[in-house]
Amino acid sequence: MLEKESLLEAIAGKNRGLLTTDNDKIAILSIIARLEDRNPTPRPLEARELLDGDWRLLYTSSRSLLNIDQIPLLKLGQIYQSIRIAEAKIYNIAEVYGLPYLEGLIGVTARFEAVSERRVQVKFERSILGLQRLIGYQSPANLIEQIASGKKFTAIDLQINNPNQQGWLDITYLDRDMRIGRGNEGNVFVLTKT
C-alpha cells in the first residue's frame, strides 16, 4: 500500500516524533489521514486477532510522551504498548536511558472498555517508575507477566484511584502489522506489531 510505505518513509529518522519540524508534522498527519481513509479494518475492536498483542511505538505527536526526553541526563528509549483483549488491559512501557547503570522504566497499566466499534474508554490503574536493574526488567513481556501476577516492585509503584485519570482512544487504522490511533488529547500514535 503506497500510503503505508509513504508514512514509514516520512517517520523514518524522526525518533518517534522528537526530531520532527512543523512541516514534517503537517506532512505526516496528511499521510496518516489518507491511510485512515483506506483502513482495511473498519471495525478494529471486532478484529481481536489483529489488535491483541505487543506493539512498539514508531511515531507520536504526544508531548507528554516525548517530553520524557527533555529530563536532564535522560533519553527516551523504546516505547511499547501491549493489548490483552481477554483481560481488557493495556500495558504501556517506556524505557529510559542516561547514566550507565541508571536505565529507567516508566510503566502504566489501564483497563479498557469498548464504547463503539473503534473507540475504547481507558481508565488508568497503576503506575510504575523505577530503575530497570532494581525492577529486574528483562523485556516488556516479562514485566507484563510480573504485573499481571500482582508483583510489587522496588520502585515507585502506585495504584491510580483518581477517576480523572482516564481518556479514550480511537483505533483509526489496523492491519496485520500497523496500528494508528488518535487520543482524547488530540494526539496521534503509529505503532508496529512486534
Side-chain angles (χ1 to χ4, degrees):
M1 176 180 282
L2 186 58
E3 284 85 9
K4 188 172 170 181
E5 293 169 10
S6 295
L7 176 59
L8 292 173
E9 185 176 306
I11 63 177
K14 303 296 186 219
N15 195 6
R16 286 149 305 182
L18 286 166
L19 303 176
T20 53
T21 65
D22 288 340
N23 286 339
D24 291 335
K25 292 174 190 174
I26 291 167
I28 289 167
L29 287 174
S30 175
I31 297 167
I32 286 172
R34 289 195 309 270
L35 197 55
E36 290 168 329
D37 286 343
R38 292 171 177 80
N39 183 6
T41 315
R43 291 189 286 284
L45 294 176
E46 294 176 11
R48 298 168 67 100
E49 72 286 349
L50 293 178
L51 190 56
D52 198 61
D54 301 329
W55 299 84
R56 183 173 52 87
L57 184 73
L58 297 177
Y59 175 82
T60 187
S61 60
S62 170
R63 296 308 320 158
S64 61
L65 278 178
L66 297 176
N67 281 342
I68 294 170
D69 200 70
Q70 303 304 312
I71 299 170
L73 304 176
L74 295 181
K75 287 293 171 203
L76 184 59
Q78 294 297 330
I79 299 174
Y80 299 95
Q81 184 175 75
S82 296
I83 299 175
R84 301 295 186 257
I85 299 282
E87 297 93 37
K89 291 273 196 167
I90 297 174
Y91 300 89
N92 294 319
I93 299 166
E95 297 172 347
V96 182
Y97 297 93
L99 297 174
Y101 305 105
L102 295 179
E103 296 84 6
L105 180 116
I106 302 167
V108 178
T109 64
R111 180 164 302 284
F112 70 88
E113 178 184 0
V115 293
S116 76
E117 55 193 23
R118 70 178 216 167
R119 178 172 287 184
V120 292
Q121 187 73 30
V122 178
K123 183 177 184 301
F124 298 100
E125 296 183 327
R126 187 175 176 187
S127 177
I128 299 166
L129 173 66
L131 297 176
Q132 292 181 23
R133 290 176 185 272
L134 292 178
I135 292 172
Y137 179 72
Q138 298 169 13
S139 69
N142 178 266
L143 180 68
I144 291 166
E145 185 178 303
Q146 292 179 63
I147 292 170
S149 75
K151 179 179 179 177
K152 288 290 186 187
F153 294 95
T154 306
I156 298 170
D157 188 349
L158 305 171
Q159 294 297 317
I160 301 172
N161 296 316
N162 184 342
N164 294 327
Q165 293 294 322
Q166 59 183 340
W168 53 260
L169 178 73
D170 282 340
I171 300 163
T172 57
Y173 179 91
L174 179 65
D175 67 19
R176 63 180 176 75
D177 62 358
M178 181 180 279
R179 177 168 52 96
I180 299 174
R182 291 183 183 260
N184 57 288
E185 295 180 351
N187 299 314
V188 66
F189 304 90
V190 178
L191 302 101
T192 187
K193 205 153 203 184
T194 60

